[in-house]
Amino acid sequence: IPVAKEGVIDREKEIQFTLIKMSEETGILLDGAQYQLYSVKKEEKDGQKETRTLVAALCTGMYGEETKETSGKATCSLPYGTYVLKEIYPAQGYLLNEKEYRFVLDRNSVSYDEDGNGTYVLEVTDRPVMGKISLEKKGNALTGYVEESQSFVCDTEPVAGAVYGLYAQEDICRDDGQVVYAADTLIDQKTTDTSGKICFTRTDEAGKLTDRFYLGNYYVREISAPEGYVLDPEKYMVRLTWDGRA
């Protein structure tokens, strides 16, 4: 594989490939993401078909304790060629990135230092796992009267018009530790619809409404009851947690 060095061709040196894994939201480096790296070659008989050969299994931050040099990174040596990188397991607390990253190592894409050492860096991201919070309000409603037993008949039905608030039970933080909502902050307030349901939302950093909430502990409390109902004083705890690979 040719590598240029002061006009001399060195056919033995390979390129140091470095994978850098980051959070899509905050850019922090992520350890524990596992990848498979394939070399890609076109078949001689049919130029439209290609064969893939697994050449490396990579895991970010796998080299001992976290340091600035290794955190969020994985490296291997590769010759010139075409490659495809595919994530098989995400970092803990993040969604699997199903995108395949195709790249080419050649004279144009590789960076060389004064000693002729070639490097190529690929940065990829994962999205943090988030959750949705919703509720359904039901209550007893008078639906009839039985003359024989002289008793009323009640059924459970959806309750519209109940106002509920979503609060932070604790400091809710992004993956970089920045507090988004301090404990007991009212995050959202909504009224149950005719089906007795609410889906809570929040405003993200871009100013857009989203129903995706950071992992953590929340609680829901009724703020005002609809006509004919008594206010429910109970706080309903909500825990958004990650319990497996997403």
Side-chain angles (χ1 to χ4, degrees), residues 57-102:
L58 304 173
C59 182
T60 58
M62 66 178 293
Y63 304 103
E65 297 182 359
E66 285 188 17
T67 67
K68 291 183 179 180
E69 290 74 24
T70 63
S71 182
K73 299 178 183 179
T75 63
C76 66
S77 295
L78 299 171
Y80 276 3
T82 301
Y83 298 89
V84 168
L85 182 73
K86 183 177 181 179
E87 186 174 47
I88 56 173
Y89 292 110
Q92 183 173 356
Y94 292 81
L95 297 169
L96 180 70
N97 186 344
E98 297 183 351
K99 177 180 177 180
E100 291 188 351
Y101 293 87
R102 180 183 291 259

Side-chain angles (χ1 to χ4, degrees), residues 45-214:
K45 295 182 179 180
D46 187 347
Q48 299 300 319
K49 294 183 179 180
E50 62 181 29
T51 58
R52 295 185 177 185
T53 303
L54 181 64
V55 295
L58 304 173
C59 182
T60 58
M62 66 178 293
Y63 304 103
E65 297 182 359
E66 285 188 17
T67 67
K68 291 183 179 180
E69 290 74 24
T70 63
S71 182
K73 299 178 183 179
T75 63
C76 66
S77 295
L78 299 171
Y80 276 3
T82 301
Y83 298 89
V84 168
L85 182 73
K86 183 177 181 179
E87 186 174 47
I88 56 173
Y89 292 110
Q92 183 173 356
Y94 292 81
L95 297 169
L96 180 70
N97 186 344
E98 297 183 351
K99 177 180 177 180
E100 291 188 351
Y101 293 87
R102 180 183 291 259
F103 61 95
V104 177
L105 298 183
D106 57 21
R107 290 180 180 272
N108 296 322
S109 64
V110 174
S111 299
Y112 290 96
D113 61 18
E114 296 179 352
D115 296 323
N117 298 310
T119 58
Y120 184 91
V121 177
L122 178 63
E123 296 181 351
V124 295
T125 60
D126 276 350
R127 292 174 54 193
V129 174
M130 293 189 178
K132 296 182 179 182
I133 302 175
S134 60
L135 68 81
E136 183 176 1
K137 174 80 169 180
K138 291 185 177 182
N140 291 326
L142 180 64
T143 58
Y145 179 77
V146 180
E147 292 185 0
E148 294 180 358
S149 60
Q150 295 185 346
S151 61
F152 293 99
V153 177
C154 293
D155 288 331
T156 300
E157 295 183 349
V159 176
V163 180
Y164 278 87
L166 173 67
Y167 299 81
Q169 173 67 19
E170 59 187 1
D171 287 349
I172 303 298
C173 301
R174 306 190 311 180
D175 57 6
D176 62 356
Q178 178 178 324
V179 176
V180 181
Y181 301 109
D184 292 317
T185 297
L186 174 61
I187 301 171
D188 189 26
Q189 177 178 309
K190 280 188 168 56
T191 303
T192 55
D193 58 19
T194 54
S195 63
K197 296 180 180 180
I198 286 175
C199 182
F200 290 106
T201 59
R202 67 180 180 89
T203 302
D204 63 19
E205 294 184 349
K208 298 180 180 180
L209 282 180
T210 178
D211 59 0
R212 298 173 66 241
F213 289 87
Y214 295 98

